[in-house]
Amino acid sequence: MTQKKQNGSIIAIITMMFLFAMISFVTNLAAPIGVIWKNQPGIEGSNFLGMMGNMMNFLAYLFMGIPAGKLLIKIGYKKTALLAIAVGLLGVFTQYLSGIIGVGSQLFGLPANFYLYLLGAFIAGFSVCMLNTVVNPMLNLLGGGGNKGNQLIQIGGTCNSLTGTVTPMFIGALIGVVTKDTAISDVNLVLFIAMGVFAAAFLILSMIPIRDPDADKKKDNIVYEKSPWAFRHFVLGTIAIFVYVGVEVGIPGTLNFFLEDPEAGNVGATVAGFVAGTYWFLMLVGRFLGSMIGAKVSSKTMLTFASGLGILLILAAIASPVAVKSSMPVFTGSGFAVTEVPLSALLLVLCGLCTSIMWGGIFNLATEGLGKYTAAGSGIFMMMVVGGGILPLVQNWVADMSTYMISYLVPVAGMAYMLYYALAGSKNVNKDIPVD
């Protein structure tokens, strides 16, 4: 590899890492802001409605997954990323408008500005879907696939977790104790930061020369005899990613609601946000460790271990009485202090170590051996990320009907499927299909 080409690859990798971080920043606005909506007149106490912003964010994947993959093929990685950033800026700006338009008025029994917020979350979802479609296959291709490709995705996931850690903590510290008087405008600072990040990213990316990893291939001459759906391990992998994202988002999202409920002692938004943020911090730690061992340990082994341990941790959290407490260092609003939280919360936070390596592992297993079908497969794969909206919504409906802890049986079922995928479903049984 020439020095010039090597430098180009390094620039491309660093840029993809930065975009990976932006994905988490926008996505993780939904759950803590949902806590505010949950306490608004007309919504009071509904976990289901409080999670609707998150649902709209992920629903966009269902509509944009395949088109994003086609964009990747037609206009390339850089232009797709620039378009995604512009859409993200529009989505966050629309959420900002929900804090100043229609405030105090009702529409169909719900706050009128709630609908504008949901629209903004949906638009932002288009952005993160497109960004996900870019960064995952590009990192995998830049790494040459296999364990090295998995290693780069794990490093990108570490950047993703860093912003995922900071976002709920920052919003929690900003709003303090949530009441019916807390408004969306109280988090304007976070929205301004998000818009600034998008604007800066657009300018920086537009000036960086990024060459597509497969730019030398004459795409017009490629014949697609089949589709990614012809590969059994890919089909089962799309289901696994649907389940995984639902589990990843549902665990901390529902935990945020749980900790602000009288059932858990109503610790307040600041502490709840910090505890939920700790989950994302442990994902950061797990992804960092995963990036170190990713070139030596197979994706199958990592996913098997993580799924099995995750099942045990969640079952232990469900079995643990809420009255049983554990100490955690958290930010209380004025400083750091060791605070008592339910032991079940601590066990759920530890699940971040498990979910940390699942995305890269599933993606790598599902796209391994796809060859020329990788770009199209990535778009389909992204479509199934809608699970991050549907499963948490189902989980919080279960919480409304029963208890928060019982609702965690939904993530347990998801972990069980991922364990099956790692052990058996990920095997490529369609090696006879030409992929060159």
Side-chain angles (χ1 to χ4, degrees), residues 250-262:
I251 291 175
T254 305
L255 180 60
N256 214 328
F257 287 176
F258 167 64
L259 290 174
E260 291 196 58
D261 192 87

Side-chain angles (χ1 to χ4, degrees), residues 196-213:
V197 168
F198 272 121
F202 187 92
L203 292 174
I204 294 171
L205 186 59
S206 64
M207 294 185 289
I208 295 177
I210 294 181
R211 191 168 180 269
D212 287 5

